[in-house]
Amino acid sequence: MGAGKVCGTSSATAADYGWIPSSFVFPLGLEVGYSLTLVRGVPPEEVLRVMGAEPAGVCRGADELFERQEELVAEADEWDESFIAGVCAVPGEGGDWALVLHFDGGIGMRPRFLETLSARSRAVTHSSNGGKPIHTFDWYEDGELRTGFEWPTVRYGSAPDDLLPMMRESGFDLREESDVDTYDRKAAVLALAERLTGVRLTEDLLDNSAYLLGHVPEEPAQEWTSVVIDLTDANGEGFHREVTREQVEHAMEHHRAERDRPLRLDEP
């Protein structure tokens, strides 16, 4: 797909989302962390299945969804990265889209979920990590991350420049050094998402939709196989070495054996 070849029927701009500073969802989402994802042609039940979620009933409106997340946190013995996701079907370009919303503290929609959900389809997601200036946007097509960014001038993915025309039309300031209000940039993100999906987000839609809920478990810890030691001293001399897990475990066993060995009186 070449630059400028992405098409959409919406002509949304940041001005269409001037309501978000006074809404419930976005001020709260920017404070505590949120993710909002749109997936074309995937039913809510299938979205939760892909996310590995345990069914958690239904709720109406984003405020009740937030309350369910707060209950989950209050009931937990210790903090983890599980969260309550709410999903509903909304009309958009080419049919229904699944809208996935969670106040997750900044975890975001996991890439492996997006790769699966966007297979032979499209997914667009944006998020904030809550209280810190990290706001991400990702566009997936056919299971592949095409364009993603935190700062709009620093993009990644297999087609990082394909959205540039849409970004300009949506209201992004693409100058290298640009001091843009958080809400203005978020409004441009929502306009870009609408151009890619045809879904017009409104306060009424977010506040009054019936969400199917699921408890998404924490990601299992990954087994590590090696560590890299990379040091530079005050003289600029470097030391770089990769140490395997087997080497670390062998050294630890040797240390324990030496520590537990009885001390001989004739040893220094």
Side-chain angles (χ1 to χ4, degrees):
M1 184 181 296
K5 298 295 182 64
V6 187
C7 298
T9 59
S10 171
S11 58
T13 68
D16 294 311
Y17 289 92
W19 55 268
I20 63 175
S22 59
S23 72
F24 170 83
V25 173
F26 288 97
L28 177 66
L30 294 176
E31 178 182 349
V32 304
Y34 84 94
S35 297
L36 195 156
T37 304
L38 293 163
V39 185
R40 182 177 57 205
V42 182
E45 297 84 357
E46 177 65 8
V47 171
L48 292 176
R49 186 195 68 78
V50 169
M51 296 174 73
E54 301 174 3
V58 296
C59 77
R60 180 166 293 279
D63 54 348
E64 188 175 343
L65 173 58
F66 175 71
E67 290 173 3
R68 293 293 300 271
Q69 175 65 29
E70 290 292 278
E71 291 171 3
L72 174 67
V73 173
E75 293 170 359
D77 294 331
E78 58 184 28
W79 187 86
D80 63 19
E81 292 189 342
S82 67
F83 57 87
I84 298 293
V87 192
C88 62
V90 295
E93 185 175 331
D96 279 348
W97 292 65
L99 184 157
V100 192
L101 177 62
H102 31 107
F103 297 99
D104 54 23
I107 296 168
M109 179 65 94
R110 294 162 183 157
R112 65 184 181 88
F113 298 158
L114 291 163
E115 290 167 3
T116 301
L117 291 170
S118 67
R120 298 180 299 280
S121 188
R122 174 177 290 183
V124 174
T125 184
H126 50 88
S127 65
S128 171
N129 70 336
K132 307 179 186 68
I134 299 178
H135 310 285
T136 61
F137 176 95
D138 292 306
W139 160 48
Y140 281 75
E141 193 89 13
D142 295 326
E144 178 184 54
L145 174 61
R146 295 292 178 86
T147 304
F149 57 85
E150 176 190 344
W151 194 258
T153 56
V154 182
R155 298 172 300 279
Y156 48 84
S158 65
D161 296 335
D162 275 11
L163 296 185
L164 280 176
M166 272 192 181
M167 292 175 71
R168 292 191 181 96
E169 294 166 2
S170 297
F172 282 95
D173 188 336
L174 296 175
R175 292 174 296 179
E176 284 297 328
E177 295 190 15
S178 168
D179 186 16
V180 180
D181 177 79
T182 297
Y183 284 107
D184 289 344
R185 188 179 299 116
K186 189 64 67 174
V189 162
L190 296 179
L192 179 61
E194 180 178 337
R195 284 172 176 259
L196 285 166
T197 65
V199 176
R200 168 62 61 93
L201 292 180
T202 65
E203 188 169 12
D204 182 68
L205 175 69
L206 296 171
D207 286 349
N208 294 304
S209 291
Y211 294 92
L212 185 66
L213 302 180
H215 178 198
V216 181
E218 184 176 33
E219 289 278 78
Q222 293 185 344
E223 289 288 326
W224 62 280
T225 59
S226 65
V227 294
V228 175
I229 303 171
D230 194 351
L231 303 172
T232 303
D233 63 21
N235 298 318
E237 296 293 328
F239 175 83
H240 182 93
R241 177 175 295 177
E242 183 174 359
V243 183
T244 67
R245 180 169 183 163
E246 290 76 11
Q247 290 173 317
V248 173
E249 291 175 345
H250 177 74
M252 292 177 65
E253 290 174 4
H254 178 73
H255 172 72
R256 282 193 291 266
E258 287 294 307
R259 181 195 62 192
D260 298 335
R261 182 173 61 89
L263 181 66
R264 292 172 51 186
L265 295 179
D266 59 344
E267 287 183 330

